[in-house]
């Protein structure tokens, strides 16, 4: 086996294994705000304020934190433009675009099936 297909323990990656790093990525992607940020950026680069308006209910602090986590994992890229005032845009990386696809299916499923959930 290659290093890419095994955990630090030498066993194959398994999200059910408490020590597998897959769990951290699953936690990041399964986060409500992360999933919504990736979805919002599927339409193209956005500035912070645009993202905040699109993601109704997110605080600036939470948006900043989520964007940093996604950027740290190479799912989102941040580009700073040398303008006055400075302009910053966020966009999906190739990895982020790949991750956004199954999350889009999940968002679509939720919207199509919301009436099936009691007390919502």
């Amino acid at each position: 086996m290659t290093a890419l297909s095994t955990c630090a323990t030498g066993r194959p990656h398994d999200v059910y294994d408490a020590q597998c790093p897959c769990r951290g990525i699953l936690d990041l992607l399964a986060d409500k705000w992360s999933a919504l940020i990736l979805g919002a950026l599927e339409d193209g680069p956005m500035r912070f304020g645009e993202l905040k308006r699109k993601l109704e209910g997110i605080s600036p602090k939470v948006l900043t934190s989520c964007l940093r986590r996604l950027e740290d994992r190479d799912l989102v890229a941040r580009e700073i433009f040398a303008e006055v005032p400075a302009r910053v845009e966020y966009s999906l990386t190739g990895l982020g675009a790949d991750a956004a696809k199954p999350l889009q299916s999940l968002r679509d499923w939720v919207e199509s099936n919301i009436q099936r959930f009691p007390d919502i």
Side-chain angles (χ1 to χ4, degrees):
M1 286 186 198
T2 66
L4 294 176
S5 64
T6 61
C7 291
T9 61
R11 297 189 311 244
H13 288 299
D14 178 0
V15 295
Y16 297 101
D17 182 340
Q19 302 303 314
C20 186
C22 295
R23 283 211 178 167
I25 300 303
L26 182 61
D27 181 52
L28 174 64
L29 294 175
D31 174 74
K32 167 181 71 175
W33 293 120
S34 293
L36 293 173
I37 290 168
L38 293 175
L41 292 175
E42 281 184 297
D43 294 332
M46 297 179 84
R47 295 176 71 173
F48 186 89
E50 292 173 303
L51 276 169
K52 184 165 178 338
R53 282 188 295 279
K54 177 126 178 130
L55 305 173
E56 296 178 9
I58 193 169
S59 72
K61 181 179 178 179
V62 170
L63 179 55
T64 298
S65 175
C66 286
L67 285 168
R68 285 182 183 154
R69 288 179 62 207
L70 292 167
E71 186 180 3
D72 288 346
R73 294 297 186 176
D74 197 34
L75 294 161
V76 168
R78 181 175 60 140
E79 185 174 2
I80 303 169
F81 295 87
E83 300 173 356
V84 177
R87 179 170 53 104
V88 178
E89 286 186 348
Y90 297 90
S91 61
L92 293 178
T93 63
L95 184 60
D98 287 347
K101 291 174 189 171
L103 292 171
Q104 177 63 55
S105 296
L106 180 59
R107 289 188 305 272
D108 290 344
W109 183 88
V110 168
E111 289 174 350
S112 297
N113 290 279
I114 191 67
Q115 72 283 354
R116 296 172 65 189
F117 290 88
D119 302 326
I120 297 206

